[in-house]
Amino acid sequence: VSTCLRQYANFNGRAARPEFWWFALFQFAVFFVASLISPFLYGLAALGLLLPGLGVGVRRLHDIGRSGWWLLIAFVPLIGGIVLLLFAVKVGTPGDNEYGAVPELEAA
């Protein structure tokens, strides 16, 4: 989670599956708690986590050898979300690819 927040606007490189899923869990928890407190706080949380979420999503797509532009498929009703979910659970490409070296979490 701290890696994603430190690299909040970094759309280069690769993100391992654990990095992506831990950040997704963190986002879910923050959104859930914020929605219980107030809609305004939920909106602030959504705005605050927008760039880090996009950044880790793009880096996750890079890990499987896809362009970050694939995030736009989320705008296709029903199918877009399913495709992104399948991409998110897919194992990253072994070794270096055009987007960089193997992420540290998967290299160990």
Side-chain angles (χ1 to χ4, degrees), residues 21 96-97:
W21 286 111
D96 297 351
N97 67 13

Side-chain angles (χ1 to χ4, degrees), residues 6 9 17 24 26-27 37 46 48 51-52 54 61 66 70-71 74 77 79 81 92-93 100-103 105-106:
R6 274 186 277 122
R17 284 185 299 174
F26 170 74
Q27 276 187 311
I37 296 170
L51 276 179
L54 289 174
L61 287 169
R66 301 237 180 228
W70 274 94
L71 274 182
I79 294 173
T93 55
V102 177
L105 293 174
E106 288 186 2

Side-chain angles (χ1 to χ4, degrees), residues 75-91:
F75 291 114
V76 176
L78 294 173
I79 294 173
I82 294 170
V83 169
L84 283 178
L85 178 65
L86 292 174
F87 285 166
V89 298
K90 189 175 177 182
V91 176

Side-chain angles (χ1 to χ4, degrees), residues 12-71:
N12 298 316
R14 296 167 63 173
R17 284 185 299 174
E19 178 183 346
F20 175 82
W21 286 111
W22 278 112
F23 189 74
L25 180 64
F26 170 74
Q27 276 187 311
F28 176 77
V30 168
F31 292 157
F32 179 74
V33 170
S35 69
L36 292 176
I37 296 170
S38 113
F40 179 73
L41 188 59
Y42 176 84
L44 284 177
L47 281 175
L49 293 175
L50 178 65
L51 276 179
L54 289 174
V56 75
V58 167
R59 290 192 312 271
R60 179 71 198 122
L61 287 169
H62 287 173
D63 190 40
I64 63 168
R66 301 237 180 228
S67 167
W69 289 104
W70 274 94
L71 274 182

